[in-house]
Amino acid sequence: MRQNHFLSPTLRDVPSDAEVTSHQLMLRAGLIRQTASGVYSFLPLGLRALKKVENIVRDEMDQAGAQEVLMPAIQPAELWQESGRWQAYGPELMRFNDRHNREFALGPTHEEVITTLVRDDVKSYKKLPMTLYQIQTKFRDERRPRFGVLRSREFIMKDAYSFDTNQAGLDESYDKMYDAYTNVFTRCDLDFRAVVADSGAMGGKDTHEFMVLSSIGEDTIAYSDTSNYAANVEIAPVIANYEKSNEELLELEKFSTPELKTIDELTESLAISKEKLIKAVLFIVDEKPVLALVRGDHDVNDVKIKHYYEAKVVELASREQTLEFMNCEPGFIGPIKVTPVVEVIADKAIEAVVNGICGANEKDMHFKNVNPNRDFSVKAFIDLRFIIEGDLSPDGQGTIRFAEGIEVGHVFKLGTRYSESMGAQFLDENGKTQPMIMGCYGIGVTRTVAAVIEQHHDDKGIVWPKEVAPFDIHLIAVNLKDSDQKDLAETLYSQLKKNGYDVLFDDRNERPGVKFTDADLIGLPIRITIGKKANEGIVEVKNRKTTEVFEVTIDQLTSTISDILATLK
Ligand code: ATP
Ligand code: MG
């Protein structure tokens, strides 16, 4: 591609509205432009990178035996009413009416459409298993679109759906997608983890999120420092053993604590460790009041409450609800003598507390020398708290550390959630009707491009991994008015293309400094510069990643290029 008439507008200054590096670089290097909030156009360089990722994804999907289809972005409301999601999906679903006032949505995902397709055309176990995928534009009216294409309202997703006759089949289809995702993100040279996640709202069982490690990530990952265990902090179980001290049990005593409401105020003023404190938090679990107890140095994980009760909604109680159920201001609530309406559950660590301190359900009052099972009872001691750094890894190997991650992919065992509500059934070997067992699998293709840049850049610009780079080589002639340089540049341009390389040829009439700055910003893996030594048949080759520069003769050029590419991912 010749750069002179190529739409690749570069910017010197950092755009003020772009907070994160990938967004800044995508604007500065001329990959994208914003059309509306959370809505972007891809310019040629950006589109080429996007297509590279798409092709990696397509290649890995095909190798995993999935079949490509293309479903419509426009989806009729009836399908969403059938699955029960027309209401449940909420304001993120972009809805509109046609000229006959029929309701539609722009697809944020395609479970409904694919389930009807397969339901209508697959009737027998003989056709199954089957995995279908598409690479297509999705629409989600995000509450906070941000970070450029990392969280936008219109984006490209690869979504795949598997259909099996039984659970073992689903496990196999899931594992194939899991492996394909591992290959995709490895080929994109991303430092990522497959993280066990919460299956919450979608009603399935197993689920993994593929997280690119990055400080701008919106999710926190708990991972082991020695094994490959990694989980979303929301879901990570705690397997600590809490040793009970053999201190003598002292007599329960109420004492006055005016102005001491928070854990810090209490521990400081009483000069005790947080481990002695029993923290009580009131939740409303599907309308039922539940008092959750954790140690003062821990935090209640509401996802664990939700799982324990198999509840739909878990919310912190308001002040009014606290007054109603505990008969006391928040800040002084505790587990002793609560009304039977309130169910008390406690984290396992509470069972080992000896002579602890808790709120007395009375303004400005606490109890000391509190001992569980003696002074109060609970429905159950369960794992109720968030894992923290320093905890034992749940797989028993190593210690937990935290990192932030960007979710680029998601694999999910749906089970019969959609096949049952939408009637996708097959006849088994015995002629019996059964619901299909489904899985769904998504990759944010546009988000992946941004995540690659987030992990691969330096202070001069993007440093593309080999397989995602929009072009392999940036060819620059320093002075095109010099006929030796111009001729050699033209010859090399056609030769390199003939040899199968994608070449961006900077044939612009710009100062060398501008060309070099742009080349670093655009960040193609190899730069070839034709300068004063053109008449001797000598050119300069630069490795963008290592910034090493070599002077080579034309004869050595091909081997130098393949040597450099061989060292790159
Ligand atoms: P998030 O928690 O980031 O909102 P999600 O759980 O809503 O993601 P999924 O429904 O699992 O996402 O969609 C599959 C993939 O699509 C995600 O893993 C992510 O890579 C991508 N994706 C989701 N929402 C967006 C968005 N607004 N912009 C860009 N990519 C997105
Ligand atoms: Mg989302």
Side-chain angles (χ1 to χ4, degrees), residues 140 142 149-152 155 157 407-410 442 444 447:
R140 293 183 182 185
E142 296 278 351
V149 297
L150 276 172
R151 182 172 299 284
S152 51
F155 57 96
M157 196 203 284
E407 182 195 318
V408 284
H410 193 179
R447 187 181 280 183

Side-chain angles (χ1 to χ4, degrees), residues 102 171 352:
R102 288 188 201 112
D171 293 347

Side-chain angles (χ1 to χ4, degrees), residues 526-546:
I526 291 175
R527 187 184 85 192
I528 299 174
T529 309
I530 297 163
K532 288 207 180 86
K533 294 189 180 166
N535 59 355
E536 301 167 46
I538 293 176
V539 299
E540 186 193 274
V541 181
K542 181 179 171 185
N543 178 335
R544 175 69 183 91
K545 187 172 179 194
T546 63

Side-chain angles (χ1 to χ4, degrees), residues 466 501 526 556-568:
K466 184 167 64 180
Y501 295 112
I526 291 175
Q556 297 165 322
L557 188 58
T558 325
S559 65
T560 309
I561 293 171
S562 41
D563 286 352
I564 294 178
L565 288 177
T567 66
L568 297 177

